Amino acid sequence: MKRLFTNMGWLLGGRGINAVLSLVYLALATRSLGLENFGYFAAIVALGQAVTGIANFQTWQFIVRWGANGDEASEENLRDATGFAIALDMISVAMGTVIAAFVMWTAHYWLPLPSDLLWLTFGYCVVSLISIRATPTGLLRMNFKYATATAAEAVQPIIRAIGAVLAWLFMPTVAGFILAYAVSEVAVAAALWFAAARDQRIDLTALSLTRIPEKHPDAWRFVWSTNLSGSLTIAGKQVMILLVGTFGGAALLGGFRVASQLGQALIALAQTVSKAILPELVHAKDDAIVMARRMANIALVGGVIAVLVALFFGRWGLALIAGEEFGAFYWAMVILAIAGAVELVGASLESLLVSAGRAGTAFIVRAVPTVLALLLLDVAIDWNGAKGAAFAMLGSSSLAVIGFYVAILNLSQIRLVVEPEAKAKD
């Protein structure tokens, strides 16, 4: 537990830097662009994150799972896991580019974007895909180099904040702020790859989509389960933001994005907890359930505190950061903060299922509520605008976490065993 809290400390420290600097570029973007133009900006960013989330494989989980192959972890295991992960990253870029092209081709039917921003949107999607960084992040976390990973990841908010200031001064347009975001994506990816390569030799001759599946027959099932679950977690939220624009227009999308970014800062915290706890659960084996329960209890306390902060200080924060015209989204922000608190509690439960080899179960539990929320979004917006959309997200998060808890209770035994395939057959 001591190492877990140390690793979480580094990760949360990085999130703290990101949170503070994000307020800088959020304030500059909202006040420079206004509600509608900020909606266009938010749509482009959300689309880039959605495409990347759909195409991206959760390769950091593969490295943690197969690189740490029990007591006989070796350079060969890690090299094969890394080669498999990089090969999947290449597939992600190709697949994501096709998805982005299709989205641009159909954008005028469903996205609140003017035609002159479509090529900019496509370019940002491609840059986001090229900047996929799950593999170097996994290598650093595999070796518990959380301090190094935090330092490398700090490049993104720093470059983004500097870029936002430059855009505000010299190019206060949607294109100017998107350029700042794109440069920050490339910079943080380069920093993480550089940090990972210093700690672990990257052998490009090990690229292979067959070595890991030969050693682990369930590899592809785990790959697709974690990919689909990760896509739902990341892309599902972004798709919902985009659909808010589809049903409510660019101005509603912009306001909802601000409310989401401020209110759901806890989602980032939930992902941080998940990424810190998964390597520990893989190594902890029989103590995994106790560890996950402790983390869920701690998350519950943190979530309640964060919701109270949003409730009592959120209106003031919205006006200070984004301006008075965004004040109408206060209650949407509070509801999204509650959704973030729910996700925070569920982060360790979901990680427990994945580390126990139940990634498919985790996907199904996440998929059903997400699909329901997307289907009901139009009705929710017609009912109560941004607050209705926020309630749809809260319902989705609540059902997913309840599902994770029930799934864990229904497992007669969770025993984490990570050992060489040959030994497992003996």
Side-chain angles (χ1 to χ4, degrees):
M1 288 296 291
K2 180 180 179 181
R3 183 172 64 184
L4 173 60
F5 282 116
T6 300
N7 294 337
M8 282 185 59
W10 282 112
L11 285 170
L12 294 177
R15 289 294 182 185
I17 295 171
N18 193 8
V20 172
L21 292 177
S22 70
L23 298 180
V24 174
Y25 49 75
L26 182 63
L28 291 172
T30 51
R31 291 179 179 275
S32 298
L33 299 177
L35 190 55
E36 186 169 8
N37 280 329
F38 182 79
Y40 298 148
F41 166 79
I44 296 172
V45 173
L47 191 57
Q49 292 174 345
V51 169
T52 304
I54 292 170
N56 188 21
F57 293 94
Q58 304 299 307
T59 53
W60 72 273
Q61 293 189 15
F62 311 155
I63 291 173
V64 169
R65 184 178 179 86
W66 296 312
N69 207 3
D71 296 331
E72 298 184 9
S74 67
E75 284 293 323
E76 181 183 355
N77 292 331
L78 188 53
R79 185 178 65 249
D80 289 346
T82 304
F84 185 62
I86 295 175
L88 288 173
D89 283 342
M90 293 179 175
I91 293 176
S92 295
V93 174
M95 183 169 61
T97 302
V98 173
I99 294 172
F102 176 77
V103 169
M104 291 306 98
W105 182 54
T106 60
H108 61 281
Y109 292 111
W110 66 285
L111 271 179
L113 279 175
S115 58
D116 60 321
L117 291 177
L118 292 182
W119 279 109
L120 176 67
T121 306
F122 178 74
Y124 181 74
C125 289
V126 172
V127 169
S128 298
L129 290 163
I130 295 172
S131 302
I132 285 174
R133 48 194 176 270
T135 296
T137 302
L139 287 170
L140 291 169
R141 287 176 180 155
M142 167 69 201
N143 295 310
F144 301 103
K145 300 289 185 179
Y146 285 84
T148 304
T150 297
E153 288 174 344
V155 169
Q156 183 185 46
I158 292 171
I159 296 295
R160 190 173 285 179
I162 293 172
V165 171
L166 293 174
W168 173 62
L169 290 172
F170 303 109
M171 195 178 178
T173 62
V174 173
F177 284 98
I178 288 296
L179 181 61
Y181 269 54
V183 172
S184 72
E185 291 290 326
V186 175
V188 69
L192 282 165
W193 275 110
F194 177 76
R198 286 184 61 189
D199 191 67
Q200 181 75 41
R201 180 173 173 268
I202 308 295
D203 186 1
L204 294 179
T205 63
L207 264 66
S208 173
L209 292 172
T210 59
R211 290 177 188 168
I212 287 294
E214 286 173 358
K215 293 181 179 180
H216 305 276
D218 66 336
W220 282 112
R221 181 170 60 86
F222 184 79
V223 165
W224 287 111
S225 295
T226 54
N227 170 258
L228 292 171
S229 183
S231 296
L232 283 169
T233 302
I234 300 171
K237 299 294 187 295
Q238 304 306 323
V239 169
M240 187 167 289
I241 290 173
L242 290 169
L243 290 179
V244 168
T246 300
F247 300 131
L252 186 66
L253 188 154
F256 189 80
R257 174 73 184 194
V258 171
S260 178
Q261 187 162 338
L262 293 177
Q264 286 208 301
L266 279 171
I267 293 293
L269 184 57
Q271 292 169 347
T272 298
V273 172
S274 175
K275 290 172 181 177
I277 198 174
L278 182 59
E280 298 291 347
L281 291 175
V282 171
H283 286 276
K285 301 181 182 179
D286 294 333
D287 295 329
I289 295 179
V290 175
M291 184 179 294
R293 186 184 297 118
R294 288 180 183 176
M295 293 310 304
N297 291 336
I298 293 170
L300 179 61
V301 175
V304 171
I305 293 172
V307 170
L308 291 175
V309 170
L311 186 62
F312 291 108
F313 300 101
R315 193 184 300 276
W316 172 80
L318 268 175
L320 178 66
I321 294 167
E324 293 295 335
E325 62 182 331
F326 287 87
F329 297 92
Y330 163 71
W331 282 110
M333 186 194 70
V334 172
I335 296 166
L336 290 170
I338 298 172
V342 172
E343 289 281 356
L344 182 59
V345 173
S348 57
L349 303 179
E350 185 174 11
S351 290
L352 180 59
L353 283 174
V354 173
S355 60
R358 303 287 181 146
T361 302
F363 164 70
I364 293 172
V365 170
R366 175 71 69 179
V368 174
T370 301
V371 172
L372 282 174
L374 292 174
L375 290 175
L376 294 174
L377 186 60
D378 189 18
V379 175
I381 291 174
D382 286 342
W383 165 61
N384 213 345
K387 291 192 288 291
F391 272 120
M393 293 186 75
L394 173 58
S396 174
S397 296
S398 301
L399 288 174
V401 173
I402 292 170
F404 292 142
Y405 183 72
V406 171
I408 290 172
L409 289 180
N410 286 339
L411 291 176
S412 59
Q413 182 181 14
I414 295 183
R415 181 179 178 84
L416 303 183
V417 179
V418 183
E419 58 185 5
E421 193 69 22
K423 183 181 289 186
K425 293 179 181 178
D426 291 341

